[in-house]
């Protein structure tokens, strides 16, 4: 998946619920317009728990791969490249 940030400080995916499993199935998510600053692949919003993110390749995001906004618990990251 090639993703283009619409504005600075954008997120390709936002998780804002409890009990979420994001299985990337080995796919790649990549920021295609690297001139946009602070673009992040995945944001986990504040206060959500039981989050699993796995089997995903995250590439070339100017603001990082995965951001947690705080108060998250029971988070599992597995096979993230």
């Amino acid at each position: 998946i090639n993703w283009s940030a619409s504005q600075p400080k954008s997120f390709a995916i936002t998780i804002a619920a409890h009990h979420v499993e994001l299985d990337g199935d080995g796919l790649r998510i990549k920021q295609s317009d690297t001139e946009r600053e602070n673009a992040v692949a995945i944001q986990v919003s504040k206060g959500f728990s039981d989050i699993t993110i796995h089997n995903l390749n995250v590439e070339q995001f100017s603001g990082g791969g995965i951001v947690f906004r705080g108060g998250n618990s029971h988070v599992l990251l597995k096979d993230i490249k």
Side-chain angles (χ1 to χ4, degrees), residues 10-78:
S10 294
F11 306 95
I13 298 170
T14 297
I15 297 173
H18 296 287
H19 315 292
V20 172
E21 178 180 358
L22 175 59
D23 182 353
D25 197 27
L27 296 175
R28 174 189 74 174
I29 183 169
K30 177 181 176 182
Q31 181 183 347
S32 59
D33 60 340
T34 55
E35 68 275 358
R36 290 281 189 185
E37 296 180 2
N38 300 314
V40 174
I42 301 169
Q43 165 184 234
V44 180
S45 296
K46 185 177 181 178
F48 293 100
S49 62
D50 297 317
I51 308 296
T52 300
I53 303 170
H54 61 100
N55 203 16
L56 182 66
N57 297 316
V58 178
E59 297 180 9
Q60 224 170 342
F61 278 83
S62 59
I66 302 172
V67 173
F68 297 93
R69 294 298 178 191
N72 307 109
S73 61
H74 304 285
V75 174
L76 174 63
L77 302 176
K78 184 178 176 184

